[in-house]
Amino acid sequence: MKSIEEKIWDLVSGLASPKEQEELVALIKTQSAYRKVYDEIKRLHSDLSSVALEEPSMAFERNVMREIETLPIPGRFPMVDQRIIRGIAGFFIVAILSLLVALFIQLDWTSSAVSFEMPELNWDTRLNKPLLYAFLFADAILGLLFLDKLIRNRLS
Amino acid sequence: MQTKAPESVLIAEALGGNHGAFAELIKLHQRYVFTLALKMVKNREDAEEVAQDCFVKAYRSLSSFQQQSKFSTWLYRIVFNTSMTFLRKNRLPTNSIDDEASQLQLESYSSNNTGERVEKQSKYQYLQHAIAQLLPDDAAIITLFYQGEQSLEEIGQSLQMNPDTVKVKLHRARQRLKVQLENLLNDEVKELI
């Protein structure tokens, strides 16, 4: 059940339904108690609506823009220094070229019989038990690290 | 004559890397953002810091703004959350040093000036002082409704509340404001007697 004040606040704020508005207007016209509350609330409502906005300092916009200019454009990946990208690309190009040069130097160009058969790997000798355990252990450590990071991110 | 670009255009341009477009958005909203922050943190220096932080946060997450609500509604949500975080971190009391300053202003207005201008100014001062006495979320609801010109639904989106809850909270906040104003006026009358 709404109090008189609540009904009148709704009326002056435009939150009352058309039916409520009609009823309240009639009550305000006929009953002095409603009239008194209405006058009081209407005055306060009008004062509240006319309160001016506060002004920040003159340097406000400049300060914000100075900070924003240092940030990457929203929604895009942060800028990476072009020298880093060129450095990584250069490393891979040099590594591939070195491998190719080493390969061509080691090739026996005089031999007439060229074999394209791949050497066979003997897994029994290469993948022994300690190596397998070490591999699984490293996997378990990586898995735990990933889980820890995931839980930390969720909690923060 | 140059016409102002609508907000959606400014947002799109800011996302495209145009800093000037974001500066326009700041110009449009800085007074609202600062007023809301001030009503919550109740100190001009802190409010300015919070308001700046809000614009930086808004810029950083601008690409996540879906334009399903008004930009101001989305921005006020950032202001409300940032102000609440600031208050929690600093554990500031509801009444700050600014209250003393406004009390002094109130006294000077009531004793030195006369006429309609004084009545208007002192009414404004009383209101500001009474709002400053309110709890941060009450002050936020009143500011958003009267100065931010936000509907109950929009306030609900900003404060992450149901519009019906906002309506109830708005009514309670106005009642508390009325009590604060009555107390202030009673104190003034007592001082005169």
Side-chain angles (χ1 to χ4, degrees):
Chain A
M1 186 72 187
K2 281 183 183 175
S3 64
I4 298 176
E5 286 204 350
E6 200 171 350
K7 285 178 189 169
I8 291 174
W9 271 118
D10 284 353
L11 178 75
V12 295
S13 320
L15 301 174
S17 66
K19 196 188 163 202
E20 282 175 327
Q21 276 183 31
E22 213 174 288
E23 284 170 9
L24 279 167
V25 169
L27 285 166
I28 290 162
K29 276 181 187 166
T30 53
Q31 293 190 28
S32 61
Y34 272 85
R35 180 86 218 164
K36 194 178 165 233
V37 177
Y38 174 75
D39 287 342
E40 200 180 309
I41 286 175
K42 200 174 176 224
R43 206 179 317 124
L44 183 54
H45 177 80
S46 136
D47 290 345
L48 276 169
S49 305
S50 62
V51 171
L53 291 168
E54 300 283 346
E55 285 282 354
S57 70
M58 299 281 276
F60 181 81
E61 189 196 325
R62 197 175 60 236
N63 292 342
V64 179
M65 288 314 292
R66 200 179 293 155
E67 207 167 326
I68 277 168
E69 272 155 19
T70 62
L71 299 173
I73 296 165
R76 292 193 196 168
F77 289 112
M79 290 284 281
V80 180
D81 196 333
Q82 289 291 312
R83 286 173 299 182
I84 298 172
I85 298 170
R86 286 195 194 112
I88 294 169
F91 170 78
F92 279 106
I93 291 166
V94 169
I96 292 165
L97 286 174
S98 310
L99 274 172
L100 281 172
V101 169
L103 187 77
F104 281 111
I105 288 169
Q106 283 175 24
L107 268 180
D108 183 8
W109 297 100
T110 55
S111 169
S112 56
V114 181
S115 167
F116 291 102
E117 263 183 47
M118 295 289 285
E120 274 186 26
L121 275 175
N122 186 358
W123 288 107
D124 295 337
T125 55
R126 284 169 198 273
L127 199 67
N128 50 26
K129 261 195 172 177
L131 190 68
L132 189 70
Y133 284 146
F135 181 72
L136 287 175
F137 181 73
D139 273 356
I141 297 286
L142 284 173
L144 285 170
L145 285 173
F146 175 73
L147 193 68
D148 176 64
K149 198 180 169 191
L150 197 77
I151 293 168
R152 274 173 202 267
N153 282 346
R154 288 257 168 99
L155 287 175
S156 65
Chain B
M1 200 179 89
Q2 198 183 354
T3 50
K4 277 187 180 175
E7 275 186 352
S8 56
V9 175
L10 292 174
I11 293 164
E13 283 184 13
L15 284 169
N18 180 355
H19 283 147
F22 196 76
E24 280 297 315
L25 285 170
I26 297 175
K27 269 185 205 144
L28 282 172
H29 296 280
Q30 61 180 358
R31 292 173 73 216
Y32 289 100
V33 168
F34 178 68
T35 304
L36 181 57
L38 180 61
K39 295 287 178 266
M40 291 187 74
V41 303
K42 303 177 194 301
N43 172 295
R44 291 193 81 87
E45 285 79 33
D46 291 340
E48 194 140 324
E49 193 187 316
V50 167
Q52 276 184 29
D53 198 17
C54 291
F55 278 113
V56 172
K57 279 184 183 170
Y59 183 76
R60 277 201 179 120
S61 47
L62 196 60
S63 59
S64 69
F65 173 54
Q66 303 292 310
Q67 307 214 21
Q68 283 162 351
S69 62
K70 284 201 290 191
F71 178 71
S72 57
T73 307
W74 180 74
L75 188 60
Y76 296 158
R77 187 170 169 174
I78 297 176
V79 182
F80 182 77
N81 290 337
T82 311
S83 303
M84 289 309 269
T85 309
F86 179 87
L87 290 170
R88 251 179 253 133
K89 267 187 192 165
N90 294 278
R91 295 181 185 280
L92 290 174
T94 320
N95 303 338
S96 73
I97 306 161
D98 275 11
D99 294 341
E100 286 169 30
S102 56
Q103 183 62 47
L104 287 173
Q105 279 175 324
L106 276 174
E107 282 164 12
S108 69
Y109 274 114
S110 53
S111 58
N112 295 336
N113 300 308
T114 49
E116 201 184 312
R117 201 180 113 252
V118 180
E119 197 195 331
K120 210 173 178 182
Q121 273 183 325
S122 57
K123 203 191 276 178
Y124 171 73
Q125 294 293 331
Y126 275 116
L127 266 177
Q128 294 284 48
H129 190 61
I131 295 171
Q133 300 284 328
L134 294 175
L135 288 169
D137 49 350
D138 282 348
I141 287 180
I142 287 199
T143 308
L144 284 170
F145 190 76
Y146 286 100
Q147 286 161 287
E149 291 166 0
Q150 300 268 297
S151 67
L152 294 179
E153 286 75 20
E154 286 164 346
I155 298 174
Q157 282 174 23
S158 294
L159 310 188
Q160 289 154 296
M161 284 175 198
N162 184 304
D164 290 334
T165 314
V166 175
K167 196 176 175 186
V168 173
K169 277 184 163 276
L170 176 67
H171 177 67
R172 286 181 190 158
R174 284 187 297 211
Q175 289 298 103
R176 286 186 197 117
L177 181 73
K178 208 164 150 262
V179 171
Q180 289 292 348
L181 275 169
E182 280 164 6
N183 289 343
L184 275 172
L185 291 167
N186 283 343
D187 289 347
E188 288 291 305
V189 171
K190 274 178 204 162
E191 271 177 35
L192 286 172
I193 296 166

